[in-house]
Amino acid sequence: MSAHHLADLVTEAQRVAVIGLAKNTGKTRTLVALLAELHRRDRTVGLTSVGRDGEATDVVDPRITKPRIPLPPGGLVATAEPLLRAAGLPYEVVSRTGYSTPLGRTMIARLPAGGAVEVAGPSSNRGTAEVTAAMREHGADIVLVDGAINRRAASSPAVADLVLLATGAALHTEFAQVVEQTVAAAEVFALPCSGDPAVYSAAATAAGSVAITGSGAVVPVDRALTLGGAGADLSRLLAGPDGAQHVVLSGALCESFAEEIRRAARGRKVSLVVTDSSKVFLAQRTSDWYRRQNVSIEVQKPTVLAAVSVNPVAPFSHRFDSVALRTELSARLPGLYFCDLGPHVD
Amino acid sequence: MRETADLSAVRPYGDHLNDGLVQVTFTLPVPYGLAARHAALELARTMRLTEPEVVHYQRLCDGYTYFVVIGQCRQSVDFATLREGAFDIQYLTEHEIDRLIEEQIGRRVVVIGASTGTDTHSVGIDAMLNLKGLDGRHGLEAYHGFEVHNLGSQVPNARLVERAIAVNADAILVSQTVTQQNLHLHNLTELVEIAEAEGIRDRTLLICGGPRVSHELAKELGFDAGFSKGTYPDHVGTYIAKELVARRAIASTTATAG
């Protein structure tokens, strides 16, 4: 029944991204369950992948067999031309895109009879947004954007209205670590929007990243500082009574920058504002930890995380109790829907 | 007249077209003798080789025997569909690559490379980029058509992207020894994600290389190309030059159409 409920959650959305926290966390299974349920509801589906999905065996560990992706009849797909031809299914070419991938140039096609396809659409957000819009134009009620490995770029509101997250035992051999890493990732998706109008007006006019000081002055922040890594001297930016209160980033928020800001702020409250949660790259500390240190990470546009699918099995390694895992995650992340789309094989 | 092969069903060539003859060599941990020979033939049958024959076998040391077996492989591959992948490119020589860049791009192509994250292996990236190159074939640094920046090893992804933007790179090359550990994969995906976050994903070719990198893996990771064993600098150089030229052609068609 969980696939049914999953479809309830996404059915009104036009663009849904399915994002995994690592390989083998059940992204493909989530996609397959959703496709079947949407087909039952007579929704015409479009499908693209920023990576590659629907292949028979895993690309890193060939012992792992993967679920195939049956596209319902009348569905649209954006994929590399050679993969579509190799599927041996009847298809109509909708358009050819300018996006090339290591597996060939991508095209959009309609499959009148449906069938199992390998999906490898454009890798970039711009390409994904372009093929998504094209599939919508050609009759797709809803477009599913498949992520790859642990890539989160496609969760950006520029690409997707709604995000489904896949997590599971493959993240770590310890139950507690799987919970912690999933909680940390969900917290990033749920980062609050900045409440300061000055942030939005600075972001709209600035060419790059800027700092907004206590008196409202807008100071450019060089990319060598935001991406420069540990040891970047940020004390000048934050020092004095008129130090920066907000840093509005035009691109990535890397952990080393967040850490240098925290150090230089010496406990004073600073907010780091990114365009959306897909620009946040934290691995050592969580966004929650930074907030407790008075460094709040905020977004300009929110991401809507609709549900989390949990795969309790790590192939050829270990497994956890599915109910226990979902119960623990629900307790830590109240209000979020968790499901297990098993059966899982190991 | 020479017989032509059916490219939709290609078979190994031994003595004549489509005979499917293959030769396999292997060692079994069994003592040299007739029983060992029998075991090798059984194994060849489980490999689906028909009419297998042991053409040579010898004692390696106590308890180990080495075999050379030939047999017929009845399976075939459909080369006609495979060859249409993106990488069916005709490799150019150093001189040809330089000329293509000069005539079609009209400026030097900027390439930046590094071994990223915790990876200390810079052999691969050095072979592709540095003057000395590999096996008597120059690295891209020696070409007139390329401006090369090699940042070395253990470079953080954010720093590589920052330098790439600063030098206005056309292509970013990274090398990584990929294992089944997620760590290596995540380091490669992080580069792609930071490039996307910084807004340079569509105007920069992202290329990864390493002993276990395939086109399929490169696609999953989000790279434009993946290179593995047997790659020479001129292969990478050909790909970069041809892909940049192809993208310019597509961009100008779109501009005209719009």
Side-chain angles (χ1 to χ4, degrees):
Chain A
M1 288 308 283
S2 45
H4 183 77
H5 189 61
L6 210 56
D8 281 347
L9 291 170
V10 308
T11 197
E12 293 310 314
Q14 295 174 349
R15 309 174 304 164
V16 177
V18 183
I19 301 296
L21 287 186
K23 265 191 142 333
N24 307 315
T25 49
K27 201 162 39 61
T28 311
R29 191 175 294 275
T30 306
L31 206 61
V32 170
L34 202 53
L35 280 172
E37 194 53 40
L38 289 168
H39 177 51
R40 227 166 282 144
R41 297 174 185 206
D42 272 334
R43 308 276 288 165
T44 303
V45 183
L47 182 61
T48 185
S49 175
V50 299
R52 163 177 170 261
D53 212 341
E55 69 278 22
T57 54
D58 187 85
V59 67
V60 178
D61 188 346
R63 294 175 304 172
I64 301 171
T65 55
K66 302 196 53 180
R68 306 311 296 266
I69 300 179
L71 191 72
L76 292 136
V77 66
T79 191
E81 214 166 332
L83 294 183
L84 195 58
R85 264 199 301 272
L89 301 164
Y91 64 88
E92 301 156 6
V93 180
V94 170
S95 66
R96 288 190 163 79
T97 80
Y99 293 94
S100 64
T101 78
L103 302 175
R105 297 236 173 239
T106 56
M107 69 188 293
I108 298 172
R110 181 181 283 108
L111 274 65
V117 284
E118 247 187 77
V119 191
S123 302
S124 69
N125 274 10
R126 199 178 74 174
T128 302
E130 198 178 301
V131 296
T132 299
M135 287 192 281
R136 293 264 310 138
E137 239 167 70
H138 285 91
D141 299 314
I142 182 168
V143 174
L144 304 183
V145 179
D146 168 57
I149 310 180
N150 65 334
R151 291 164 58 196
R152 289 179 298 127
S155 69
S156 164
V159 176
D161 311 315
L162 208 134
V163 177
L164 297 177
L165 186 66
T167 185
L171 277 191
H172 207 278
T173 51
E174 284 171 41
F175 183 94
Q177 272 300 314
V178 173
V179 172
E180 289 311 322
Q181 290 185 24
T182 306
V183 169
E187 279 171 357
V188 169
F189 283 117
L191 284 171
C193 282
S194 170
D196 195 328
V199 162
Y200 297 90
S201 65
T205 49
S209 301
V210 292
I212 304 173
T213 68
S215 64
V218 178
V219 188
V221 181
D222 198 79
R223 197 176 268 114
L225 288 179
T226 60
L227 298 182
D233 186 11
L234 300 174
S235 48
R236 243 187 2 185
L237 195 64
L238 293 159
D242 196 29
Q245 290 193 340
H246 310 286
V247 179
V248 186
L249 293 153
S250 61
L253 168 61
C254 295
E255 185 129 39
S256 51
F257 183 71
E259 181 52 27
E260 291 304 330
I261 286 282
R262 183 196 68 83
R263 225 192 304 239
R266 296 165 180 256
R268 192 163 60 75
K269 208 169 159 48
V270 183
S271 77
L272 300 176
V273 189
V274 288
T275 51
D276 64 71
S277 67
S278 72
K279 312 290 191 290
V280 177
F281 299 90
L282 300 177
Q284 309 299 321
R285 305 284 196 183
T286 64
S287 55
D288 197 44
W289 184 87
Y290 279 105
R291 186 167 49 246
R292 292 198 303 269
Q293 310 294 315
N294 265 346
V295 175
S296 69
I297 302 171
E298 295 164 3
V299 297
Q300 292 179 53
K301 278 196 191 135
T303 299
V304 182
L305 177 59
V308 181
S309 72
V310 179
N311 176 2
V313 178
F316 298 101
S317 178
H318 57 283
R319 62 159 68 215
F320 300 123
D321 182 67
S322 176
V323 174
L325 196 53
R326 280 178 287 146
T327 306
E328 182 66 21
L329 285 168
S330 295
R332 293 285 301 276
L333 298 161
L336 201 52
Y337 174 66
F338 293 90
C339 60
D340 177 353
L341 300 164
H344 305 281
V345 281
D346 59 351
Chain B
M1 204 179 80
R2 199 164 71 179
E3 224 183 324
T4 49
D6 172 8
L7 294 185
S8 68
V10 174
R11 287 215 174 87
Y13 177 103
D15 299 319
H16 54 84
L17 199 62
N18 288 329
D19 64 11
L21 279 186
V22 295
Q23 172 177 310
V24 285
T25 64
F26 52 88
T27 300
L28 291 179
V30 297
Y32 176 80
L34 284 178
R37 188 172 173 280
H38 189 71
L41 287 173
E42 273 305 302
L43 188 67
R45 285 189 196 100
T46 65
M47 293 176 189
R48 297 170 72 187
L49 293 182
T50 53
E51 298 177 34
E53 213 178 303
V54 175
V55 290
H56 173 80
Y57 70 127
Q58 70 183 72
R59 176 187 174 278
L60 273 189
C61 61
D62 270 355
Y64 285 82
T65 310
Y66 171 76
F67 301 90
V68 179
V69 174
I70 60 164
Q72 262 181 50
C73 164
R74 296 214 185 266
Q75 285 75 33
S76 65
V77 288
D78 184 353
F79 180 69
T81 49
L82 286 179
R83 66 187 302 198
E84 289 172 37
F87 276 77
D88 186 28
I89 56 173
Q90 199 77 48
Y91 290 126
L92 306 176
T93 63
E94 177 177 344
H95 178 68
E96 289 167 334
I97 293 166
D98 277 343
R99 204 173 57 196
L100 179 69
I101 292 172
E102 194 184 328
E103 287 171 3
Q104 304 279 332
I105 300 174
R107 60 167 176 83
R108 292 178 96 192
V109 169
V110 183
V111 176
I112 189 165
S115 291
T116 53
T118 54
D119 206 325
T120 54
H121 301 87
S122 62
V123 181
I125 202 84
D126 288 347
M128 294 304 126
L129 295 181
N130 292 1
L131 192 68
K132 195 176 90 171
L134 178 66
D135 212 5
R137 287 147 94 161
H138 285 147
L140 300 187
E141 205 177 22
Y143 290 53
H144 296 296
F146 290 108
E147 174 188 320
V148 172
H149 304 262
N150 185 352
L151 302 188
S153 63
Q154 290 186 294
V155 178
N157 285 313
R159 166 103 182 127
L160 176 58
V161 171
E162 188 269 314
R163 290 322 304 157
I165 297 170
V167 301
N168 212 359
D170 295 293
I172 300 177
L173 251 75
V174 287
S175 89
Q176 181 97 95
T177 311
V178 172
T179 69
Q180 280 173 17
Q181 304 290 310
N182 279 333
L183 185 68
H184 304 93
L185 295 179
H186 291 186
N187 188 49
L188 285 167
T189 54
E190 191 191 63
L191 174 71
V192 176
E193 301 261 286
I194 292 176
E196 180 74 68
E198 289 293 324
I200 61 160
R201 180 64 194 87
D202 276 303
R203 61 177 155 98
T204 318
L205 291 179
L206 294 185
I207 301 165
C208 59
R212 289 188 53 187
V213 173
S214 62
H215 299 321
E216 285 77 12
L217 180 63
K219 175 66 183 94
E220 276 208 41
L221 293 164
F223 284 77
D224 292 307
F227 289 94
S228 190
K229 276 181 185 158
T231 299
Y232 289 92
D234 42 300
H235 297 167
V236 178
T238 303
Y239 167 74
I240 294 173
K242 284 195 169 179
E243 184 61 24
L244 287 178
V245 169
R247 287 187 181 202
R248 284 175 153 234
I250 287 166
S252 66
T253 336
T254 322
T256 320

